[in-house]
């Protein structure tokens, strides 16, 4: 199997920003050469509307409305060509800012829908992870009946439910209290240790309590 | 794919499926009835039913005082010349034209009953065998000058005239067709005696007919060298086309059509018009139902737009996403067409009875067509739905 080791951003800029005020001076990412590698813990910080969610979507190959280049590299620095659905199943776990849960499915079913694709874990383990995040009594409720904070935790567990070398968390604690944010950070750390993955977290200010090796301003 | 199916089940309501199924069923029934109607109409065209099959017209030129006087002084003739016959033959509505051959010699008929002998002058005509409306293989329709026997066909209305006019008025017994055929009489042609027998009664041809080959030979041997141009023509029209344009031509040429043939042609044109109008409406309704089925599935896909996008963001590919929808379409289509075929085979016998009542010469088609239609229709619907699902989802999930 292909082994994704780093993602290189080469002078990227969302098309929507093209022709607007120069971004290169105010951003560490847009129109710069940046490389994210396994083992790193990265925080992308910016106010709203600076393209945090767009960058996550670009890296996950869910959108392509940008200029510049995006490269997926293995340990030797050789460029990898990975099919988009395989990238999302095997290499990059994403927790979306808008959660993207299925309202008619329960919390467990939402996670298992992903697990059905990746065959990464068991329903028992999924339930354990949801319980750890305080959802023991809510895991069999349809997601339409969960609060935003509860939905955010379900989306997080789902993002972990796959093998990956990169984990993108788009504003993961925006609706969480500090206690739940701390549990989430702990779970991420465990996973990072186990898989040596690259954690990329975006934030508008209230961010995941982790030890970030690098902080970028968008 | 348990959870993917679960997602579909939670997002497609029973009502939606029911509406989808009923819409499909209506469409399927229309398609099957259209196919069946097409087959019935096609069978009607192939049949001998006067309204659908090829038609025969006997035409002549009008007789007036002027033509009578001119005929007496040897002027204008009421016969058709070669040019007129060829012109008629070239009409698109006409498939064949044949002249009536007339005996160019004197003919006498003689019947002997006991000591009494009845003798009368008469005439004979002939047309090519294929224009005669009787199964000639079943009757003895051959004669040779040397045989001394001539089969004769007379118009059915001669028999009716006798049975319901003369016999009734005079208290004489009425005669059945078979009984008339038992009597023989004698024909005196150019002084030679021939035995003759009435072998059948024609509805189409209002004349006394003998076999064409016999009359041709007799004219050659006994003929008196008179003008050989025919004064009556028999025209065979094309089954599916004969209509208004032929009638316009006949009117323009001042030709006369015998025995209500004109009315039949008009009726046929009308029937064709109605049949095609109904077929056009049927095709339109069928296309509409196809369109509705496509739209209903597109709406279902459009309604689940967000779901497809989210599934793509989880790493599902298009093939996996469309699988439950394709399976749903397959199951619904198979059920819909099976029910449609069942309903048709239950109710078609009643329609068949109506057809039989309307035109006894038509036999309603069998049920096999329904099962074939159901199979083909199901295949087409499944293909359409698969295509709609595939491209509908592709459009939504394009990155």
């Amino acid at each position: 199997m292909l082994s994704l080791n780093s993602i290189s951003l080469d002078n990227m800029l969302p098309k929507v920003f093209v022709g607007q005020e120069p971004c290169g001076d105010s951003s560490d990412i847009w129109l710069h050469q940046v490389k994210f590698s396994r083992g790193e813990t990265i925080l992308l910080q910016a106010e709203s509307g600076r393209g945090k969610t767009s960058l996550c979507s670009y890296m996950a190959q869910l959108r392509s409305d940008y200029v510049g280049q995006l490269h997926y590299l293995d340990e030797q620095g050789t460029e990898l060509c990975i099919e988009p659905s395989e990238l999302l199943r095997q290499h990059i776990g994403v927790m979306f800012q808008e959660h993207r849960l299925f309202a008619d499915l329960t919390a467990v079913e939402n996670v298992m829908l992903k697990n059905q694709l990746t065959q990464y874990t068991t329903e028992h383990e999924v339930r354990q992870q949801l319980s750890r995040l305080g959802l023991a009594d809510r895991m069999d409720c349809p997601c339409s009946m969960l609060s935003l904070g509860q939905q955010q935790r379900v989306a997080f567990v789902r993002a972990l439910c796959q093998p990956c070398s990169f984990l993108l968390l788009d504003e993961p604690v925006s609706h969480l209290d500090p206690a739940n944010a701390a549990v989430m950070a702990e779970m991420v750390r465990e996973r990072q240790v186990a898989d040596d993955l690259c954690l990329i977290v975006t934030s508008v200010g209230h961010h995941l309590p982790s030890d970030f090796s690098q902080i970028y301003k968008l | 794919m348990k959870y993917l199916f679960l997602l579909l089940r939670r997002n497609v309501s029973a009502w939606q499926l029911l509406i989808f199924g009923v819409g499909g069923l209506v469409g399927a029934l229309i398609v099957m009835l259209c196919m069946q109607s097409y087959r019935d109409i096609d069978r009607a065209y192939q049949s001998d039913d006067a309204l659908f099959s090829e038609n025969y017209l006997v035409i002549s030129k009008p007789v007036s005082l002027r033509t009578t006087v001119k005929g007496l002084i040897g002027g204008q003739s009421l016969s058709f010349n070669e040019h007129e016959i060829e012109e008629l033959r070239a009409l698109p509505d006409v498939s064949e034209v044949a002249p009536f051959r007339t005996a160019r010699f004197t003919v006498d008929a003689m019947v002997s009953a006991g000591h009494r002998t009845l003798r009368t002058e008469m005439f004979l005509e002939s047309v090519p065998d294929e224009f005669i409306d009787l199964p000639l293989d079943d009757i003895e329709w051959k004669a040779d000058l040397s045989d001394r026997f001539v089969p004769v066909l007379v118009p059915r209305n001669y028999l009716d005239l006798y049975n319901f006019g003369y016999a009734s008025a005079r208290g004489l017994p009425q005669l059945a067709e078979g009984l008339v055929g038992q009597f023989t009489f004698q024909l005196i042609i150019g002084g030679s005696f021939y035995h003759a027998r009435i072998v059948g009664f024609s509805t189409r041809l209002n004349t006394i007919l003998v076999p064409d080959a016999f009359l041709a030979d007799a004219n050659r041997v006994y003929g008196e060298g008179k003008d050989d141009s025919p004064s009556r023509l028999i025209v065979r029209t094309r089954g599916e086309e004969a209509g208004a344009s032929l009638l316009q031509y006949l009117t323009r040429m001042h030709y006369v059509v015998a025995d209500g043939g004109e009315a039949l042609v008009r009726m046929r044109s009308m029937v064709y018009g109605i049949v095609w109008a109904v077929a056009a409406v049927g095709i339109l309704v069928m296309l509409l139902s196809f369109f509705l089925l496509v739209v209903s599935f597109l709406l279902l896909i459009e309604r689940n737009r967000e779901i497809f996008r989210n599934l793509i963001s989880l790493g599902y590919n298009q093939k996996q996403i469309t699988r439950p929808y394709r399976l749903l379409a397959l199951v619904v289509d198979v059920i819909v067409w099976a029910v449609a075929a069942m309903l048709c085979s239950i109710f078609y016998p009643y329609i068949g009875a109506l057809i039989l009542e309307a035109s006894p010469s038509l036999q309603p088609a069998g049920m096999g067509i329904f099962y074939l239609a159901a199979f083909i229709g199901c295949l087409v619907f499944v293909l359409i739905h698969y295509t709609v699902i595939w491209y509908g989802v592709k459009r939504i999930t394009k990155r």
Side-chain angles (χ1 to χ4, degrees):
Chain A
M1 199 181 79
L2 299 169
S3 171
L4 178 63
N5 190 65
S6 53
I7 299 176
S8 161
L9 316 180
D10 184 4
N11 286 308
M12 282 179 72
L13 185 68
K15 279 182 181 167
V16 69
F17 293 166
V18 174
Q20 291 184 2
E21 60 173 295
C23 294
D25 297 339
S26 55
S27 168
D28 301 329
I29 301 285
W30 302 133
L31 296 176
H32 285 281
Q33 296 266 1
V34 186
K35 191 172 171 185
F36 303 135
S37 298
R38 288 183 83 155
E40 294 178 341
T41 306
I42 291 157
L43 177 67
L44 300 174
Q45 216 167 8
E47 64 266 34
S48 296
R50 298 294 297 171
K52 295 185 296 297
T53 300
S54 296
L55 181 61
C56 289
S57 295
Y58 298 156
M59 285 194 284
Q61 286 199 12
L62 287 167
R63 278 169 56 189
S64 56
D65 54 322
Y66 58 85
V67 294
Q69 306 265 309
L70 182 65
H71 303 285
Y72 301 92
L73 308 168
D74 66 8
E75 267 181 74
Q76 285 74 42
T78 312
E79 184 154 8
L80 302 171
C81 183
I82 308 171
E83 199 263 324
S85 59
E86 194 205 326
L87 187 77
L88 285 162
R89 281 198 308 268
Q90 305 288 343
H91 304 283
I92 300 181
V94 189
M95 175 187 168
F96 300 96
Q97 188 187 348
E98 68 277 24
H99 310 146
R100 300 200 186 182
L101 296 173
F102 300 96
D104 298 312
L105 298 185
T106 65
V108 172
E109 286 167 352
N110 260 286
V111 181
M112 291 308 288
L113 182 67
K114 171 87 183 193
N115 194 58
Q116 179 178 260
L117 200 62
T118 59
Q119 301 293 322
Y120 185 75
T121 185
T122 61
E123 187 177 329
H124 177 70
E125 276 183 51
V126 168
R127 284 182 182 275
Q128 274 185 336
Q129 286 182 315
L130 288 170
S131 299
R132 211 172 147 188
L133 283 160
L135 293 170
D137 57 343
R138 286 283 181 274
M139 60 179 88
D140 290 314
C141 287
C143 277
S144 56
M145 293 171 72
L146 300 182
S147 71
L148 279 176
Q150 288 166 333
Q151 287 184 29
Q152 201 157 34
R153 282 172 272 169
V154 175
F156 171 72
V157 173
R158 188 177 67 178
L160 291 182
C161 190
Q162 67 171 97
C164 63
S165 38
F166 281 77
L167 184 63
L168 312 182
L169 306 181
D170 192 3
E171 297 192 27
V173 291
S174 55
H175 300 289
L176 294 192
D177 56 275
N180 273 313
V183 175
M184 191 182 277
E186 181 57 31
M187 289 171 75
V188 168
R189 211 166 8 252
E190 287 169 13
R191 184 67 187 270
Q192 249 189 316
V193 170
D195 291 351
D196 188 32
L197 53 79
C198 173
L199 174 72
I200 300 176
V201 181
T202 71
S203 166
V204 283
H206 174 46
H207 54 75
L208 190 77
S210 283
D211 297 327
F212 295 103
S213 56
Q214 288 185 70
I215 298 175
Y216 290 91
K217 194 176 158 209
L218 223 68
Chain B
M1 290 291 131
K2 172 186 160 192
Y3 292 98
L4 212 51
F5 281 99
L6 189 71
L7 189 63
L8 173 74
R9 213 171 63 219
R10 300 247 171 101
N11 277 281
V12 179
S13 69
W15 275 111
Q16 245 179 332
L17 273 181
L18 191 72
I19 291 168
F20 178 64
V22 169
L25 186 64
V26 171
L29 282 172
I30 290 169
V31 170
M32 289 174 85
L33 287 176
C34 276
M35 281 179 83
Q36 185 60 43
S37 305
Y38 171 79
R39 229 175 95 106
D40 284 337
I41 290 169
D42 192 48
R43 285 161 64 88
Y45 286 157
Q46 311 296 328
S47 77
D48 288 335
D49 194 290
L51 272 182
F52 294 100
S53 65
E54 51 197 12
N55 190 19
Y56 293 85
L57 301 178
V58 174
I59 61 171
S60 56
K61 291 184 175 177
V63 179
S64 65
L65 186 61
R66 192 159 147 261
T67 58
T68 310
V69 172
K70 283 201 170 184
L72 281 172
I73 58 172
Q76 188 186 357
S77 164
L78 285 176
S79 58
F80 290 91
N81 60 34
E82 269 307 309
H83 173 72
E84 287 168 328
I85 294 172
E86 280 311 312
E87 197 174 88
L88 203 55
R89 193 170 277 144
L91 291 176
D93 289 352
V94 172
S95 109
E96 192 52 79
V97 179
F100 276 71
R101 193 190 300 280
T102 313
R104 301 293 175 194
F105 44 80
T106 54
V107 186
D108 285 275
M110 199 168 78
V111 184
S112 300
H115 298 296
R116 296 181 64 182
T117 301
L118 257 156
R119 180 171 170 153
T120 177
E121 272 198 4
M122 63 179 290
F123 66 97
L124 295 175
E125 282 188 298
S126 72
V127 291
D129 288 356
E130 64 264 28
F131 289 88
I132 294 171
D133 56 339
L134 290 170
L136 296 181
D137 294 339
D138 300 345
I139 57 178
E140 197 182 346
W141 190 245
K142 266 186 195 144
D144 200 275
L145 285 179
S146 57
D147 284 352
R148 301 283 157 186
F149 169 75
V150 191
V152 177
L153 288 177
V154 296
R156 184 177 303 280
N157 56 17
Y158 279 24
L159 185 66
D160 293 343
L161 211 58
Y162 168 81
N163 277 338
F164 308 116
Y166 186 70
S168 299
R170 299 297 296 273
L172 293 170
Q174 288 172 328
L175 301 176
E177 277 185 29
L179 194 64
V180 174
Q182 301 297 316
F183 297 121
T184 57
F185 56 99
Q186 286 187 310
L187 285 178
I188 306 160
I189 299 174
S192 304
F193 284 80
Y194 288 84
H195 290 291
R197 189 161 62 84
I198 294 171
V199 293
F201 297 88
S202 169
T203 310
R204 183 185 299 157
L205 298 156
N206 197 14
T207 187
I208 301 167
L209 287 169
V210 291
D212 199 35
F214 173 83
L215 196 57
D217 287 347
N219 272 346
R220 206 176 54 249
V221 175
Y222 305 113
E224 294 163 6
K226 293 176 190 167
D227 177 19
D228 203 25
S229 304
S231 55
R232 286 204 294 177
L233 299 176
I234 180 160
V235 174
R236 182 166 62 212
T237 63
R238 291 189 195 281
E240 291 154 34
E241 292 165 23
S245 65
L246 175 63
L247 289 182
Q248 277 168 8
Y249 175 81
L250 296 178
T251 311
R252 197 171 70 241
M253 300 302 287
H254 303 292
Y255 292 160
V256 177
V257 182
D259 296 334
E262 196 177 322
L264 190 61
V265 170
R266 282 192 201 288
M267 208 191 299
R268 283 159 57 92
S269 306
M270 213 168 75
V271 168
Y272 276 107
I274 292 168
V275 163
W276 286 116
V278 169
V281 171
I283 289 168
L284 200 72
V285 173
M286 199 173 90
L287 289 177
L288 203 67
S289 71
F290 266 107
F291 176 73
L292 282 177
L293 281 178
V294 168
V295 168
S296 70
F297 232 113
L298 270 177
L299 281 176
L300 181 72
I301 289 168
E302 205 59 34
R303 195 172 158 267
N304 289 344
R305 166 186 281 267
E306 211 49 46
I307 289 175
F308 296 139
R309 284 199 175 148
N310 288 348
L311 285 170
I312 285 284
S313 69
L314 290 187
Y316 279 92
N317 60 32
Q318 199 183 339
K319 197 175 164 190
Q320 291 165 325
I321 293 172
T322 53
R323 188 178 297 157
Y325 291 84
R326 282 182 284 141
L327 196 75
L328 173 74
L330 181 73
V331 169
V332 171
D333 284 342
V334 167
I335 292 175
V336 158
W337 283 90
V339 172
M342 205 176 70
L343 287 178
C344 279
S345 48
I346 291 171
F347 291 109
Y348 187 68
Y350 298 104
I351 301 172
L354 286 178
I355 291 173
L356 212 59
E357 202 176 300
S359 182
S361 64
L362 293 182
Q363 285 297 317
M367 300 293 173
I369 187 82
F370 287 129
Y371 304 120
L372 183 71
F375 179 73
I376 294 172
C378 189
L379 215 63
V380 171
F381 269 45
V382 167
L383 276 177
I384 289 176
H385 284 142
Y386 271 32
T387 311
V388 168
I389 292 164
W390 185 260
Y391 286 100
V393 172
K394 189 178 179 179
R395 192 173 50 84
I396 289 169
T397 56
K398 209 163 76 180
R399 289 162 202 267

